[in-house]
Amino acid sequence: MKIKLPVLPFPQDSLVPYISENTIQFHYGKHHNAYVENTIKLISGTDLENKTVEEIIMASHNKEDMVSVFNNAAQVWNHSFYWNCIKPDGGGNPHGSIEEKIDDSFGSFENFISQFKSTAMSQFGSGWTWLVLKDDNILDIIKTSNAGTPLTSDVKPLFTIDVWEHAYYLDYQNRRADYLHVFLEHLINWEFINSQI
Ligand code: FE2
């Protein structure tokens, strides 16, 4: 099977003090791992058994009898992408191609941060906030609910923040705004974003 839990791209305690080792142990080791195990169980013995996670997502999207497959596979992909979007000693101002694109698309870095935070705060319940590249080479900020993923649309994801409570509740309880602040200020991996453009 091609579905597996990816290796975390940083040590589990390396995001302290912004994200605790305890949060990573649960988020990566329990939640992400459970989505992987559930997907494997659901596709075992089916036509999807040897497909990639992207193929499984596309095959199950909007299929009434495959809601669980889609939800688990999309969460596998979303989380694998999310871990790449952050790094120890990340954050700061953007550089390279993304800096120029942010200025072109949002007017300024400050406007981008403000719009990103406001979109992430307005996601009701569980979901994700994404920076995406549209066909016309302009950046946009979108949100998806639950396991929703931009892979099923015609935009290219460059960056995401997981706003499910399991991403921040152990460290920040209900204070999603504080989690968003440290994420954007100290963890965002601009090199990864540039590599996706
Ligand atoms: Fe999550």
Side-chain angles (χ1 to χ4, degrees):
M1 276 204 192
K2 292 173 181 164
I3 298 283
K4 61 180 181 185
L5 186 67
V7 175
L8 199 64
F10 43 78
Q12 297 201 5
D13 61 353
S14 62
L15 304 181
V16 176
Y18 308 114
I19 302 285
S20 67
E21 183 176 9
N22 197 28
T23 287
I24 299 295
Q25 283 172 344
F26 274 92
H27 198 183
Y28 170 73
K30 302 291 184 189
H31 292 280
H32 193 179
N33 190 53
Y35 295 127
V36 171
E37 290 183 347
N38 288 340
T39 304
I40 288 171
K41 269 187 220 155
L42 288 163
I43 63 170
S44 288
T46 76
D47 291 347
L48 298 177
E49 195 166 49
N50 294 309
K51 302 291 189 191
T52 64
V53 67
E54 290 88 352
E55 290 168 336
I56 295 166
I57 289 167
M58 297 314 292
S60 58
H61 182 233
N62 280 340
K63 302 266 170 60
E64 267 181 36
D65 57 343
M66 298 182 84
V67 172
S68 291
V69 174
F70 174 82
N71 284 341
N72 282 282
Q75 285 292 80
V76 170
W77 191 91
N78 288 351
H79 281 89
S80 300
F81 188 79
Y82 169 78
W83 301 126
N84 283 313
C85 291
I86 54 180
K87 67 170 195 172
D89 299 320
N93 290 326
H95 53 266
S97 307
I98 191 64
E99 179 183 16
E100 195 179 320
K101 283 201 182 306
I102 284 175
D103 283 343
D104 288 348
S105 306
F106 301 102
S108 69
F109 180 54
E110 290 68 30
N111 281 345
F112 159 71
I113 291 290
S114 167
Q115 285 185 42
F116 200 96
K117 282 182 175 173
S118 129
T119 304
M121 285 303 291
S122 68
Q123 170 58 39
F124 183 76
S126 299
W128 301 80
T129 307
W130 305 83
L131 176 66
V132 298
L133 191 60
K134 299 196 294 190
D135 274 349
D136 52 5
N137 216 24
I138 294 293
L139 299 174
D140 197 9
I141 297 166
I142 63 169
K143 55 188 175 181
T144 58
S145 294
N146 300 317
T149 178
L151 288 191
T152 55
S153 66
D154 56 1
V155 297
K156 181 178 170 57
L158 300 180
F159 169 73
T160 193
I161 291 187
D162 185 346
V163 292
W164 283 59
E165 282 187 343
H166 68 221
Y168 58 89
Y169 207 84
L170 293 175
D171 296 329
Y172 298 96
Q173 293 77 51
N174 62 330
R175 303 188 310 277
R176 183 186 288 183
D178 290 355
Y179 159 70
L180 295 173
H181 177 76
V182 299
F183 200 102
L184 294 164
E185 192 91 354
H186 299 288
L187 300 175
I188 184 167
N189 185 344
W190 293 115
E191 289 78 24
F192 175 72
I193 296 174
N194 273 321
S195 77
Q196 299 300 297
I197 293 175

mmCIF file of all heavy atoms in Angstrom, residues 108-142:
data_model
loop_
_atom_site.group_PDB
_atom_site.id
_atom_site.type_symbol
_atom_site.label_atom_id
_atom_site.label_comp_id
_atom_site.label_asym_id
_atom_site.label_seq_id
_atom_site.Cartn_x
_atom_site.Cartn_y
_atom_site.Cartn_z
ATOM 1 N N SER A 108 0.135 44.153 0.763
ATOM 2 C CA SER A 108 1.227 44.190 1.738
ATOM 3 C C SER A 108 1.186 42.911 2.571
ATOM 4 O O SER A 108 0.168 42.211 2.614
ATOM 5 C CB SER A 108 1.088 45.395 2.680
ATOM 6 O OG SER A 108 -0.041 45.206 3.517
ATOM 7 N N PHE A 109 2.310 42.623 3.224
ATOM 8 C CA PHE A 109 2.386 41.455 4.103
ATOM 9 C C PHE A 109 1.400 41.596 5.263
ATOM 10 O O PHE A 109 0.732 40.641 5.664
ATOM 11 C CB PHE A 109 3.820 41.313 4.629
ATOM 12 C CG PHE A 109 4.025 40.143 5.541
ATOM 13 C CD1 PHE A 109 3.665 38.859 5.153
ATOM 14 C CD2 PHE A 109 4.583 40.317 6.806
ATOM 15 C CE1 PHE A 109 3.851 37.761 5.989
ATOM 16 C CE2 PHE A 109 4.780 39.231 7.659
ATOM 17 C CZ PHE A 109 4.414 37.952 7.243
ATOM 18 N N GLU A 110 1.265 42.819 5.778
ATOM 19 C CA GLU A 110 0.347 43.065 6.894
ATOM 20 C C GLU A 110 -1.097 42.745 6.488
ATOM 21 O O GLU A 110 -1.852 42.167 7.253
ATOM 22 C CB GLU A 110 0.440 44.530 7.363
ATOM 23 C CG GLU A 110 1.743 44.892 8.069
ATOM 24 C CD GLU A 110 2.969 44.889 7.156
ATOM 25 O OE1 GLU A 110 2.827 45.166 5.937
ATOM 26 O OE2 GLU A 110 4.072 44.579 7.652
ATOM 27 N N ASN A 111 -1.470 43.136 5.277
ATOM 28 C CA ASN A 111 -2.826 42.825 4.796
ATOM 29 C C ASN A 111 -3.036 41.322 4.665
ATOM 30 O O ASN A 111 -4.106 40.798 4.988
ATOM 31 C CB ASN A 111 -3.091 43.463 3.422
ATOM 32 C CG ASN A 111 -3.410 44.927 3.542
ATOM 33 O OD1 ASN A 111 -3.711 45.416 4.627
ATOM 34 N ND2 ASN A 111 -3.326 45.642 2.430
ATOM 35 N N PHE A 112 -2.002 40.640 4.170
ATOM 36 C CA PHE A 112 -2.091 39.184 4.038
ATOM 37 C C PHE A 112 -2.328 38.536 5.403
ATOM 38 O O PHE A 112 -3.225 37.703 5.573
ATOM 39 C CB PHE A 112 -0.810 38.618 3.390
ATOM 40 C CG PHE A 112 -0.583 37.161 3.667
ATOM 41 C CD1 PHE A 112 -1.395 36.190 3.086
ATOM 42 C CD2 PHE A 112 0.429 36.748 4.529
ATOM 43 C CE1 PHE A 112 -1.196 34.836 3.357
ATOM 44 C CE2 PHE A 112 0.623 35.400 4.813
ATOM 45 C CZ PHE A 112 -0.184 34.450 4.225
ATOM 46 N N ILE A 113 -1.510 38.915 6.400
ATOM 47 C CA ILE A 113 -1.635 38.332 7.737
ATOM 48 C C ILE A 113 -3.032 38.607 8.302
ATOM 49 O O ILE A 113 -3.692 37.718 8.856
ATOM 50 C CB ILE A 113 -0.546 38.899 8.685
ATOM 51 C CG1 ILE A 113 0.833 38.392 8.252
ATOM 52 C CG2 ILE A 113 -0.831 38.552 10.133
ATOM 53 C CD1 ILE A 113 1.080 36.916 8.483
ATOM 54 N N SER A 114 -3.481 39.822 8.136
ATOM 55 C CA SER A 114 -4.789 40.200 8.666
ATOM 56 C C SER A 114 -5.910 39.381 8.004
ATOM 57 O O SER A 114 -6.808 38.869 8.679
ATOM 58 C CB SER A 114 -4.956 41.694 8.433
ATOM 59 O OG SER A 114 -6.256 42.062 8.630
ATOM 60 N N GLN A 115 -5.857 39.245 6.685
ATOM 61 C CA GLN A 115 -6.893 38.465 5.976
ATOM 62 C C GLN A 115 -6.814 36.987 6.320
ATOM 63 O O GLN A 115 -7.828 36.312 6.445
ATOM 64 C CB GLN A 115 -6.741 38.637 4.455
ATOM 65 C CG GLN A 115 -7.217 39.984 3.950
ATOM 66 C CD GLN A 115 -7.150 40.057 2.424
ATOM 67 O OE1 GLN A 115 -7.501 39.128 1.713
ATOM 68 N NE2 GLN A 115 -6.672 41.181 1.922
ATOM 69 N N PHE A 116 -5.580 36.477 6.478
ATOM 70 C CA PHE A 116 -5.434 35.057 6.801
ATOM 71 C C PHE A 116 -6.019 34.771 8.180
ATOM 72 O O PHE A 116 -6.780 33.810 8.371
ATOM 73 C CB PHE A 116 -3.957 34.636 6.738
ATOM 74 C CG PHE A 116 -3.780 33.144 6.593
ATOM 75 C CD1 PHE A 116 -3.593 32.571 5.345
ATOM 76 C CD2 PHE A 116 -3.850 32.312 7.697
ATOM 77 C CE1 PHE A 116 -3.474 31.194 5.197
ATOM 78 C CE2 PHE A 116 -3.730 30.938 7.561
ATOM 79 C CZ PHE A 116 -3.528 30.381 6.314
ATOM 80 N N LYS A 117 -5.681 35.630 9.144
ATOM 81 C CA LYS A 117 -6.195 35.439 10.512
ATOM 82 C C LYS A 117 -7.705 35.536 10.529
ATOM 83 O O LYS A 117 -8.391 34.747 11.185
ATOM 84 C CB LYS A 117 -5.596 36.490 11.453
ATOM 85 C CG LYS A 117 -4.173 36.184 11.871
ATOM 86 C CD LYS A 117 -3.666 37.254 12.851
ATOM 87 C CE LYS A 117 -2.289 36.906 13.382
ATOM 88 N NZ LYS A 117 -1.714 37.987 14.187
ATOM 89 N N SER A 118 -8.246 36.505 9.807
ATOM 90 C CA SER A 118 -9.689 36.692 9.855
ATOM 91 C C SER A 118 -10.432 35.534 9.190
ATOM 92 O O SER A 118 -11.472 35.081 9.676
ATOM 93 C CB SER A 118 -9.995 38.058 9.245
ATOM 94 O OG SER A 118 -10.931 37.999 8.312
ATOM 95 N N THR A 119 -9.858 34.976 8.120
ATOM 96 C CA THR A 119 -10.472 33.792 7.492
ATOM 97 C C THR A 119 -10.396 32.593 8.434
ATOM 98 O O THR A 119 -11.365 31.840 8.591
ATOM 99 C CB THR A 119 -9.756 33.457 6.161
ATOM 100 O OG1 THR A 119 -9.791 34.608 5.325
ATOM 101 C CG2 THR A 119 -10.419 32.296 5.444
ATOM 102 N N ALA A 120 -9.247 32.409 9.074
ATOM 103 C CA ALA A 120 -9.073 31.265 9.984
ATOM 104 C C ALA A 120 -9.977 31.381 11.208
ATOM 105 O O ALA A 120 -10.524 30.391 11.692
ATOM 106 C CB ALA A 120 -7.610 31.159 10.406
ATOM 107 N N MET A 121 -10.160 32.616 11.699
ATOM 108 C CA MET A 121 -11.037 32.808 12.868
ATOM 109 C C MET A 121 -12.500 32.566 12.507
ATOM 110 O O MET A 121 -13.294 32.178 13.351
ATOM 111 C CB MET A 121 -10.868 34.231 13.415
ATOM 112 C CG MET A 121 -9.581 34.468 14.184
ATOM 113 S SD MET A 121 -9.344 33.358 15.587
ATOM 114 C CE MET A 121 -10.632 33.916 16.705
ATOM 115 N N SER A 122 -12.864 32.818 11.252
ATOM 116 C CA SER A 122 -14.276 32.715 10.869
ATOM 117 C C SER A 122 -14.675 31.295 10.464
ATOM 118 O O SER A 122 -15.838 31.051 10.156
ATOM 119 C CB SER A 122 -14.584 33.681 9.719
ATOM 120 O OG SER A 122 -13.924 33.249 8.546
ATOM 121 N N GLN A 123 -13.722 30.358 10.447
ATOM 122 C CA GLN A 123 -14.093 28.960 10.170
ATOM 123 C C GLN A 123 -14.875 28.434 11.362
ATOM 124 O O GLN A 123 -14.335 28.293 12.444
ATOM 125 C CB GLN A 123 -12.828 28.115 9.923
ATOM 126 C CG GLN A 123 -13.081 26.606 9.860
ATOM 127 C CD GLN A 123 -14.076 26.220 8.783
ATOM 128 O OE1 GLN A 123 -14.076 26.784 7.702
ATOM 129 N NE2 GLN A 123 -14.961 25.291 9.084
ATOM 130 N N PHE A 124 -16.160 28.135 11.151
ATOM 131 C CA PHE A 124 -16.995 27.630 12.243
ATOM 132 C C PHE A 124 -16.718 26.143 12.432
ATOM 133 O O PHE A 124 -16.871 25.352 11.512
ATOM 134 C CB PHE A 124 -18.477 27.853 11.916
ATOM 135 C CG PHE A 124 -19.385 27.429 13.040
ATOM 136 C CD1 PHE A 124 -19.533 28.214 14.172
ATOM 137 C CD2 PHE A 124 -20.073 26.235 12.971
ATOM 138 C CE1 PHE A 124 -20.350 27.825 15.212
ATOM 139 C CE2 PHE A 124 -20.903 25.834 14.016
ATOM 140 C CZ PHE A 124 -21.032 26.639 15.136
ATOM 141 N N GLY A 125 -16.288 25.770 13.637
ATOM 142 C CA GLY A 125 -15.992 24.365 13.894
ATOM 143 C C GLY A 125 -14.670 23.955 13.268
ATOM 144 O O GLY A 125 -13.765 24.764 13.100
ATOM 145 N N SER A 126 -14.570 22.688 12.907
ATOM 146 C CA SER A 126 -13.299 22.133 12.441
ATOM 147 C C SER A 126 -13.030 22.434 10.973
ATOM 148 O O SER A 126 -13.956 22.502 10.170
ATOM 149 C CB SER A 126 -13.316 20.613 12.625
ATOM 150 O OG SER A 126 -13.477 20.293 13.978
ATOM 151 N N GLY A 127 -11.762 22.581 10.638
ATOM 152 C CA GLY A 127 -11.430 22.810 9.231
ATOM 153 C C GLY A 127 -10.010 23.290 9.049
ATOM 154 O O GLY A 127 -9.157 23.132 9.930
ATOM 155 N N TRP A 128 -9.786 23.889 7.902
ATOM 156 C CA TRP A 128 -8.455 24.294 7.475
ATOM 157 C C TRP A 128 -8.526 25.651 6.790
ATOM 158 O O TRP A 128 -9.509 25.940 6.109
ATOM 159 C CB TRP A 128 -7.902 23.282 6.466
ATOM 160 C CG TRP A 128 -7.806 21.883 6.988
ATOM 161 C CD1 TRP A 128 -8.830 20.975 7.084
ATOM 162 C CD2 TRP A 128 -6.650 21.224 7.499
ATOM 163 N NE1 TRP A 128 -8.369 19.803 7.620
ATOM 164 C CE2 TRP A 128 -7.030 19.925 7.886
ATOM 165 C CE3 TRP A 128 -5.318 21.613 7.666
ATOM 166 C CZ2 TRP A 128 -6.126 19.011 8.424
ATOM 167 C CZ3 TRP A 128 -4.423 20.703 8.210
ATOM 168 C CH2 TRP A 128 -4.824 19.421 8.585
ATOM 169 N N THR A 129 -7.460 26.442 6.933
ATOM 170 C CA THR A 129 -7.341 27.687 6.180
ATOM 171 C C THR A 129 -6.120 27.553 5.275
ATOM 172 O O THR A 129 -5.072 27.058 5.709
ATOM 173 C CB THR A 129 -7.165 28.885 7.133
ATOM 174 O OG1 THR A 129 -8.213 28.847 8.087
ATOM 175 C CG2 THR A 129 -7.206 30.200 6.369
ATOM 176 N N TRP A 130 -6.277 27.987 4.033
ATOM 177 C CA TRP A 130 -5.254 27.720 3.014
ATOM 178 C C TRP A 130 -4.834 28.994 2.287
ATOM 179 O O TRP A 130 -5.678 29.828 1.964
ATOM 180 C CB TRP A 130 -5.820 26.776 1.947
ATOM 181 C CG TRP A 130 -6.379 25.498 2.458
ATOM 182 C CD1 TRP A 130 -7.624 25.298 2.973
ATOM 183 C CD2 TRP A 130 -5.732 24.211 2.499
ATOM 184 N NE1 TRP A 130 -7.792 23.983 3.331
ATOM 185 C CE2 TRP A 130 -6.645 23.296 3.049
ATOM 186 C CE3 TRP A 130 -4.459 23.767 2.110
ATOM 187 C CZ2 TRP A 130 -6.332 21.948 3.232
ATOM 188 C CZ3 TRP A 130 -4.151 22.427 2.298
ATOM 189 C CH2 TRP A 130 -5.074 21.528 2.857
ATOM 190 N N LEU A 131 -3.546 29.076 1.971
ATOM 191 C CA LEU A 131 -3.068 30.030 0.976
ATOM 192 C C LEU A 131 -2.937 29.238 -0.313
ATOM 193 O O LEU A 131 -2.270 28.196 -0.343
ATOM 194 C CB LEU A 131 -1.710 30.596 1.399
ATOM 195 C CG LEU A 131 -1.055 31.551 0.392
ATOM 196 C CD1 LEU A 131 -1.881 32.830 0.249
ATOM 197 C CD2 LEU A 131 0.380 31.878 0.817
ATOM 198 N N VAL A 132 -3.608 29.711 -1.353
ATOM 199 C CA VAL A 132 -3.611 28.950 -2.612
ATOM 200 C C VAL A 132 -3.214 29.859 -3.777
ATOM 201 O O VAL A 132 -3.341 31.084 -3.715
ATOM 202 C CB VAL A 132 -5.004 28.330 -2.899
ATOM 203 C CG1 VAL A 132 -5.394 27.343 -1.797
ATOM 204 C CG2 VAL A 132 -6.072 29.404 -3.079
ATOM 205 N N LEU A 133 -2.758 29.209 -4.832
ATOM 206 C CA LEU A 133 -2.412 29.910 -6.069
ATOM 207 C C LEU A 133 -3.488 29.587 -7.099
ATOM 208 O O LEU A 133 -3.773 28.409 -7.359
ATOM 209 C CB LEU A 133 -1.038 29.432 -6.553
ATOM 210 C CG LEU A 133 -0.378 30.203 -7.676
ATOM 211 C CD1 LEU A 133 -0.149 31.667 -7.292
ATOM 212 C CD2 LEU A 133 0.954 29.543 -8.051
ATOM 213 N N LYS A 134 -4.093 30.641 -7.640
ATOM 214 C CA LYS A 134 -5.149 30.434 -8.630
ATOM 215 C C LYS A 134 -4.550 30.423 -10.037
ATOM 216 O O LYS A 134 -3.401 30.793 -10.237
ATOM 217 C CB LYS A 134 -6.200 31.542 -8.502
ATOM 218 C CG LYS A 134 -6.859 31.546 -7.122
ATOM 219 C CD LYS A 134 -8.122 32.347 -7.080
ATOM 220 C CE LYS A 134 -7.875 33.821 -7.306
ATOM 221 N NZ LYS A 134 -9.047 34.653 -7.033
ATOM 222 N N ASP A 135 -5.392 30.035 -10.994
ATOM 223 C CA ASP A 135 -4.965 29.909 -12.391
ATOM 224 C C ASP A 135 -4.301 31.174 -12.924
ATOM 225 O O ASP A 135 -3.373 31.120 -13.718
ATOM 226 C CB ASP A 135 -6.172 29.604 -13.285
ATOM 227 C CG ASP A 135 -6.422 28.111 -13.313
ATOM 228 O OD1 ASP A 135 -5.546 27.374 -12.831
ATOM 229 O OD2 ASP A 135 -7.489 27.700 -13.792
ATOM 230 N N ASP A 136 -4.808 32.328 -12.472
ATOM 231 C CA ASP A 136 -4.280 33.584 -12.991
ATOM 232 C C ASP A 136 -3.020 34.029 -12.247
ATOM 233 O O ASP A 136 -2.606 35.183 -12.335
ATOM 234 C CB ASP A 136 -5.351 34.673 -12.927
ATOM 235 C CG ASP A 136 -5.963 34.778 -11.530
ATOM 236 O OD1 ASP A 136 -5.475 34.068 -10.623
ATOM 237 O OD2 ASP A 136 -6.906 35.548 -11.346
ATOM 238 N N ASN A 137 -2.402 33.085 -11.494
ATOM 239 C CA ASN A 137 -1.142 33.352 -10.806
ATOM 240 C C ASN A 137 -1.283 34.332 -9.640
ATOM 241 O O ASN A 137 -0.316 34.951 -9.219
ATOM 242 C CB ASN A 137 -0.095 33.876 -11.802
ATOM 243 C CG ASN A 137 1.282 33.360 -11.460
ATOM 244 O OD1 ASN A 137 1.426 32.321 -10.816
ATOM 245 N ND2 ASN A 137 2.300 34.107 -11.844
ATOM 246 N N ILE A 138 -2.519 34.483 -9.159
ATOM 247 C CA ILE A 138 -2.777 35.356 -8.023
ATOM 248 C C ILE A 138 -3.041 34.476 -6.793
ATOM 249 O O ILE A 138 -3.647 33.412 -6.890
ATOM 250 C CB ILE A 138 -4.015 36.249 -8.305
ATOM 251 C CG1 ILE A 138 -3.716 37.214 -9.453
ATOM 252 C CG2 ILE A 138 -4.467 37.007 -7.073
ATOM 253 C CD1 ILE A 138 -2.685 38.267 -9.148
ATOM 254 N N LEU A 139 -2.568 34.944 -5.649
ATOM 255 C CA LEU A 139 -2.800 34.201 -4.410
ATOM 256 C C LEU A 139 -4.198 34.463 -3.886
ATOM 257 O O LEU A 139 -4.759 35.546 -4.088
ATOM 258 C CB LEU A 139 -1.792 34.637 -3.347
ATOM 259 C CG LEU A 139 -0.309 34.418 -3.625
ATOM 260 C CD1 LEU A 139 0.521 35.044 -2.507
ATOM 261 C CD2 LEU A 139 -0.010 32.939 -3.749
ATOM 262 N N ASP A 140 -4.738 33.487 -3.165
ATOM 263 C CA ASP A 140 -6.027 33.676 -2.505
ATOM 264 C C ASP A 140 -5.987 32.927 -1.180
ATOM 265 O O ASP A 140 -5.170 32.020 -0.983
ATOM 266 C CB ASP A 140 -7.152 33.140 -3.402
ATOM 267 C CG ASP A 140 -8.515 33.656 -2.980
ATOM 268 O OD1 ASP A 140 -8.579 34.562 -2.109
ATOM 269 O OD2 ASP A 140 -9.524 33.148 -3.498
ATOM 270 N N ILE A 141 -6.873 33.308 -0.275
ATOM 271 C CA ILE A 141 -6.994 32.621 1.009
ATOM 272 C C ILE A 141 -8.367 31.980 1.043
ATOM 273 O O ILE A 141 -9.378 32.656 0.821
ATOM 274 C CB ILE A 141 -6.837 33.619 2.180
ATOM 275 C CG1 ILE A 141 -5.438 34.234 2.156
ATOM 276 C CG2 ILE A 141 -7.102 32.926 3.512
ATOM 277 C CD1 ILE A 141 -5.294 35.458 3.044
ATOM 278 N N ILE A 142 -8.412 30.688 1.294
ATOM 279 C CA ILE A 142 -9.699 29.994 1.339
ATOM 280 C C ILE A 142 -9.765 29.141 2.599
ATOM 281 O O ILE A 142 -8.744 28.893 3.241
ATOM 282 C CB ILE A 142 -9.927 29.087 0.101
ATOM 283 C CG1 ILE A 142 -8.883 27.960 0.050
ATOM 284 C CG2 ILE A 142 -9.897 29.895 -1.193
ATOM 285 C CD1 ILE A 142 -9.197 26.885 -0.973
#
